[in-house]
Amino acid sequence: MSILDLGFLLIVFSSLIPSSSSQFCSAPSSFPSNPTFSACNDLPTLSSSLHWTFDAENATLFFAFTAPPAGEAGWVSWAINPTGVGMLGSQTLIAYRQDDGKMGVQTFNITDYAIKPSPIDFATADLAADFVGGVMRIYGKMFLTKGTTVVNQVWQVGAAVSNRIPVKHEFTPANMNSKGKLDLIRGQSTVTLDSTTRNRNIHGILNAVSWGILLPIGAIFARYLKIFKSADPAWFYVHVGCQTIGYGVGVAGWGTGLKLGSKSKGIQYTDHRYIGITLFALGTLQGRGCHGPPMI
Ligand code: HEM
Ligand SMILES: *[C@@H]1O[C@H](CO)[C@@H](O)[C@H](O)[C@H]1NC(C)=O
Ligand SMILES: *[C@@H]1O[C@H](CO)[C@@H](O)[C@H](O)[C@H]1NC(C)=O
């Protein structure tokens, strides 16, 4: 296997490993006004965490949200969505540097993608933010509706603020899946992947199995086993088997990729598309030039 093959395998495999979540819950934390919280969750995307204490008697939520912003002059955000599961409808807190140069929190009742500071449905108290050691924190109290025990939470990070308004975040899978249910009593949070992300995972796995495992193994058999005369012609059948199945799985991976591409209206992954189409064309040509069984 050449260095190139190795590099390619590494890239394919690393793309399969989910983005790591943070460990803020296990790290000792010091919060200015509320020194300890009774629960903490490391959230599954964007390296963020939520510490909280919930008093069910009066539905008071003491919380601290921690996340690294996407840029030094960026923002972090945490929200509860009482009417839906995603961004729209979120009763949102966003932390960023205010006019006076200090970190502060603004509330946003997000009803469309043009967000602006506005009152939110929940009363809040003692809202504050800081930016220490590369992470921004939002903390304070939120007075929820009596009887609430499970909420839809939404969180996000961005790289810039313009005219006192946070500028839009990225649209990577991590940014699209930063939402889920939070059980305030049992301390559990769950995230259901959206269908685009599920399809994207299937596309990734099919392509990794095909281009990353089956086709290289087939090639290795052809290149190295044929020098052993005794392995003839077994190596050839292993080679053909791997290439045929690998190519089949590759076609499926390519198909799911094309379908994903046609469904993604707003965002175009142009480079990725060209790489995919080129790889597929090369793979097809390689197979067509079929080098035939060994001339013994
Ligand atoms: C700063 C201005 C913002 C803009 C222009 C913006 C824009 C967008 C757009 C266009 C989408 C849909 C992308 C798609 O479906 O392909 C989206 C999704 C999302 N946004 Fe924002 N966003 C902003 C701020 C925020 C904030 C502050 C939060 C945190 C509460 C947030 C959380 C999310 C989440 C979790 C998603 C994915 C789930 C969903 O589609 O609702 N966004 N955003
Ligand atoms: C709710 O209960 C907590 C803890 O018992 C208390 O600290 C807080 O002041 C109460 N809040 C309200 C609004 O009564
Ligand atoms: C937030 O926006 C929704 C939809 O426009 C509206 O019904 C609600 O009253 C708003 N909340 C506040 C606190 O203004």
Side-chain angles (χ1 to χ4, degrees):
M1 206 163 24
S2 72
I3 296 286
L4 258 176
D5 296 338
L6 251 181
F8 183 69
L9 274 181
L10 276 180
I11 292 170
V12 169
F13 283 119
S14 60
S15 70
L16 277 180
I17 299 167
S19 52
S20 62
S21 65
S22 66
Q23 298 302 321
F24 294 125
C25 287
S26 49
S29 52
S30 53
F31 294 99
S33 51
N34 203 327
T36 53
F37 291 94
S38 61
C40 185
N41 263 188
D42 285 323
L43 302 176
T45 75
L46 302 173
S47 304
S48 43
S49 301
L50 184 75
H51 286 81
W52 79 92
T53 301
F54 185 57
D55 189 331
E57 289 293 316
N58 55 19
T60 301
L61 178 66
F62 301 81
F63 72 91
F65 172 77
T66 309
E72 278 292 306
W75 52 271
V76 306
S77 170
W78 184 76
I80 287 179
N81 190 336
T83 54
V85 291
M87 168 177 163
L88 300 181
S90 286
Q91 303 302 302
T92 313
L93 308 171
I94 311 185
Y96 51 102
R97 232 172 257 297
Q98 307 293 304
D99 280 350
D100 59 6
K102 298 202 179 82
M103 287 298 296
V105 184
Q106 299 289 340
T107 59
F108 290 72
N109 180 3
I110 298 187
T111 54
D112 60 46
Y113 296 124
I115 67 167
K116 50 183 183 302
S118 44
I120 57 171
D121 291 352
F122 304 112
T124 57
D126 308 327
L127 291 184
D130 57 19
F131 187 12
V132 186
V135 294
M136 287 186 179
R137 299 188 297 189
I138 310 176
Y139 35 82
K141 281 180 223 164
M142 231 184 203
F143 303 103
L144 306 183
T145 315
K146 273 241 169 75
T148 303
T149 60
V150 178
V151 294
N152 290 313
Q153 64 173 338
V154 184
W155 64 99
Q156 197 52 271
V157 302
V161 174
S162 163
N163 290 324
R164 298 170 201 163
I165 310 238
V167 174
K168 71 169 186 284
H169 50 83
E170 291 184 64
F171 300 111
T172 69
N175 300 88
M176 293 292 102
N177 286 298
S178 49
K179 58 185 178 172
K181 283 210 181 313
L182 172 68
D183 188 322
L184 293 166
I185 310 280
R186 295 198 290 164
Q188 288 168 341
S189 61
T190 46
V191 166
T192 339
L193 294 181
D194 61 82
S195 69
T196 306
T197 302
R198 271 201 313 274
N199 290 340
R200 208 175 270 148
N201 290 347
I202 294 173
H203 167 69
I205 289 169
L206 287 177
N207 278 322
V209 168
S210 152
W211 304 100
I213 300 175
L214 291 172
L215 294 175
I217 287 182
I220 290 166
F221 268 100
R223 203 188 292 176
Y224 296 107
L225 275 197
K226 70 175 158 189
I227 58 176
F228 300 111
K229 276 274 169 271
S230 59
D232 259 337
W235 71 266
F236 181 70
Y237 295 114
V238 177
H239 169 66
V240 169
C242 277
Q243 303 315 75
T244 308
I245 298 170
Y247 186 72
V249 176
V251 169
W254 196 62
T256 51
L258 288 185
K259 178 138 177 274
L260 274 172
S262 70
K263 274 203 339 196
S264 151
K265 287 161 242 99
I267 320 151
Q268 300 259 317
Y269 304 94
T270 319
D271 289 348
H272 187 123
R273 209 178 165 76
Y274 290 150
I275 293 172
I277 291 174
T278 309
L279 209 66
F280 184 70
L282 287 177
T284 306
L285 283 178
Q286 162 86 4
R288 273 211 8 88
C290 214
H291 16 277
M295 299 293 164
I296 312 171

